[in-house]
Amino acid sequence: MSQIQQSPELPEPYRLARVVADGRLTDELANVSRAVNLGFHMAEPDADFLAHYAVHVAGERLWAVHSPEPEHELPGLPVATLASYDSTVNTGHGHLEPADFITDVTVRPTHRRRGLLRGLITHDLAVARESGHSMAALTATEGAIYGRFGFGISSQDQRIEVVSDGRFTLAHEPEGSVEMVGSGAIDEVRREVFDAFHRSHRGSHGRLDWWVEFAAGRWNYESQKPNRRLRSAIHRDAAGRPDGVVSYEVAESFGSTLTVRDMEAVTTEAELALWEFLASIDLVTRIKASKVNPSTPLPWTVRDPRLVKFTGNADLTWLRILDVPKALSVRGWDSAGSVTLRVIDPLGWCSGSYRIDVSEPGAPAEVTRVGDQDVATLDISSLGSLYFGTVRAEALAGARRLRGTPDQVRDVARLFATDDTPHNLTEF
Ligand SMILES: CC(C)(COP(=O)(O)OP(=O)(O)OC[C@H]1O[C@@H](n2cnc3c(N)ncnc32)[C@H](O)[C@@H]1OP(=O)(O)O)[C@@H](O)C(=O)NCCC(=O)NCCS
């Protein structure tokens, strides 16, 4: 049974319930799933879908908003939903910081623009803050929704298309070897390779286990059935250890376009070897991929770099810093310096001035709250965008989202610059 929660954030007369998600499929859970599918224009869930859903959301905080009874429209269905769970983000130098991951945010069309999203998200963020989380993350369906709640774009989805006809050759032979494997037979290898990727890449976001079902082709939420077209290959390094995995499909029999559904590569050698393998597949002349390494060496290694086209670079994750001193003290810093920042938070939680001191590259920052001063100023969403190094401070200054003298902006840019490019593979 769900528990009715006190929620001063929600407009009257709505009621908030926390729905139990312990792996069992209840009527209440099925109604949350129906409401989520309604919000995202997905097909009405069938029995198979609900069985997968119940397992995949186990352990999540499932918030459901109800209209007061009697509900004439869609009896039993919540009018709004939001789910969140604890996972980790790589904040640089191998540190994995616990964060509140938010997903499945929907509001029924007949109840939109009455403040239900605002009520749900401020409630969830407040719970996350109280439990000691320094940050929250989400992926968004639209770009204009979450900035007002303090979220800033923190990682980007780089998409590419590669011409893989006979012209594709690499200038060097990548190390290691690639072998094809049964898609459903390497769950543990997928988990291990992702774990190694997650630990070694700044900006990486943790994954729930439903992703393994997806990569193995056992379940696809969009088509609501298994995907028997998925094929997989793994890369082993020179010592024989798996350090790369790819799942791909060719949507039409004898088709010419291959779509990468999931690729994890711990090293650039593994990445290049997997690309070389994909490009070698007969009948395929074009490869499409998303969430590609933003610093991929591919176009610099292909003998004809015009075979690699960057086709998109959209926002992937959005970060909401909830505790500035804690978030900055666990960030991996590559430069030394001292900067004072004034932060403006539309929800008020983080507003104030902070002095950040990093004694040497690699040392943790000391972050001290100070009185308001005439210093570089930015909103909390911009700090979320600076956090992994996805954007440089000069760009935010050009956009008037970081305000300060040229010297102040330069000092922020130097301190927040990272040696590595953030790379995230996870959408949620
Ligand atoms: C996006 C969605 C959740 C918004 O819910 P809602 O209850 O109508 O939002 P609220 O009434 O709480 O709006 C809060 C604020 O966000 C703004 N807002 C809401 N949806 C917006 C949108 N799609 N684009 C831009 N601004 C939006 C509102 O104007 C309001 O602004 P204000 O407080 O500054 O005046 C809802 O439209 C929906 O379910 N969409 C389909 C599913 C979806 O895209 N979910 C998001 C998943 S990431």
Side-chain angles (χ1 to χ4, degrees):
M1 280 295 288
S2 66
Q3 297 164 325
I4 302 298
Q5 303 267 322
Q6 289 294 329
S7 103
E9 299 91 353
L10 219 58
E12 284 293 334
Y14 295 100
R15 294 286 172 267
L16 182 68
R18 167 103 187 248
V19 177
V20 173
D22 60 5
R24 285 174 300 168
L25 179 61
T26 59
D27 288 348
E28 220 172 2
L29 197 71
N31 279 334
V32 174
S33 174
R34 290 189 184 101
V36 171
N37 283 21
L38 172 70
F40 290 125
H41 311 303
M42 291 165 67
E44 178 77 9
D46 63 10
D48 254 8
F49 186 100
L50 291 172
H52 281 92
Y53 178 79
V55 173
H56 292 165
V57 299
E60 293 187 8
R61 292 175 284 277
L62 283 192
W63 304 110
V65 176
H66 288 274
S67 272
E69 298 292 338
E71 153 78 289
H72 299 295
E73 202 176 43
L74 296 168
L77 252 66
V79 297
T81 62
L82 183 150
S84 66
Y85 55 90
D86 295 346
S87 188
T88 56
V89 294
N90 185 322
T91 60
H93 299 187
H95 178 79
L96 299 184
E97 177 69 2
D100 180 49
F101 281 41
I102 296 174
T103 184
D104 284 353
V105 180
T106 66
V107 174
R108 195 187 296 170
T110 43
H111 295 256
R112 68 194 277 281
R113 308 301 182 265
R114 299 179 191 179
L116 291 183
L117 163 66
R118 179 174 286 281
L120 273 171
I121 204 158
T122 46
H123 182 75
D124 184 78
L125 293 175
V127 171
R129 276 186 83 227
E130 276 161 29
S131 69
H133 281 313
S134 61
M135 55 189 81
L138 53 74
T139 59
T141 51
E142 292 178 87
I145 304 175
Y146 293 106
R148 60 172 54 73
F149 304 115
F151 287 86
I153 294 172
S154 57
S155 71
Q156 288 184 306
D157 179 2
Q158 177 154 274
R159 294 175 195 183
I160 65 174
E161 274 186 34
V162 176
V163 176
S164 64
D165 56 19
R167 287 175 289 168
F168 185 100
T169 49
L170 297 185
H172 81 273
E173 186 62 31
E175 282 173 12
S177 59
V178 175
E179 66 176 324
M180 292 202 69
V181 285
S183 281
I186 53 158
D187 289 2
E188 216 32 58
V189 173
R190 288 186 204 282
R191 290 189 188 102
E192 281 166 18
V193 172
F194 179 76
D195 191 56
F197 176 89
H198 186 48
R199 290 178 184 283
S200 56
H201 285 74
R202 187 194 291 266
S204 171
H205 288 55
R207 288 178 159 185
L208 289 183
D209 221 41
W210 64 257
W211 145 80
V212 175
E213 302 272 295
F214 169 78
R218 284 195 292 273
W219 186 249
N220 182 319
Y221 268 102
E222 256 166 55
S223 63
Q224 304 204 1
K225 57 182 187 199
N227 182 357
R228 289 186 290 115
R229 284 188 183 273
L230 268 197
R231 302 294 189 302
S232 299
I234 60 178
H235 176 264
R236 293 180 193 280
D237 65 14
R241 284 181 299 260
D243 62 354
V245 188
V246 64
S247 287
Y248 67 89
E249 78 178 288
V250 179
E252 293 160 4
S253 305
F254 309 106
S256 59
T257 299
L258 179 154
T259 305
V260 175
R261 292 297 176 206
D262 189 59
M263 188 198 279
E264 294 116 52
V266 182
T267 64
T268 47
E269 284 299 282
E271 181 189 339
L272 291 175
L274 290 171
W275 277 111
E276 190 179 49
F277 160 72
L278 295 171
S280 75
I281 297 174
D282 284 337
L283 303 183
V284 169
T285 53
R286 195 163 62 131
I287 303 170
K288 289 181 171 182
S290 59
K291 302 179 190 73
V292 171
N293 175 5
S295 288
T296 181
L298 186 64
W300 304 96
T301 323
V302 173
R303 285 194 198 278
D304 179 350
R306 292 194 186 176
L307 300 183
V308 180
K309 287 197 179 64
F310 293 93
T311 51
N313 196 0
D315 56 284
L316 179 50
T317 53
W318 295 65
L319 190 73
R320 206 299 174 190
I321 291 177
L322 296 167
D323 179 334
V324 174
K326 191 167 179 212
L328 294 183
S329 65
V330 297
R331 183 182 193 267
W333 299 88
D334 290 331
S335 308
S338 293
V339 152
T340 303
L341 285 178
R342 190 154 75 89
V343 176
I344 297 162
D345 183 346
L347 300 183
W349 292 329
C350 298
S351 291
S353 295
Y354 303 85
R355 185 181 160 87
I356 310 162
D357 292 298
V358 180
S359 57
E360 56 180 325
E366 272 185 36
V367 186
T368 326
R369 229 176 151 135
V370 295
D372 274 352
Q373 296 169 20
D374 186 14
V375 290
T377 301
L378 78 182
D379 61 23
I380 190 75
S381 68
S382 300
L383 191 59
S385 296
L386 275 181
Y387 189 76
F388 296 123
T390 292
V391 65
R392 282 188 58 90
E394 303 92 297
L396 290 177
R400 304 284 193 273
R401 296 186 55 181
L402 169 66
R403 291 182 302 281
T405 64
D407 282 353
Q408 287 169 342
V409 170
R410 193 202 53 221
D411 288 348
V412 176
R414 284 193 180 149
L415 186 60
F416 278 80
T418 58
D419 292 348
D420 45 352
T421 311
H423 185 195
N424 173 43
L425 298 170
T426 305
E427 198 169 339
F428 52 93

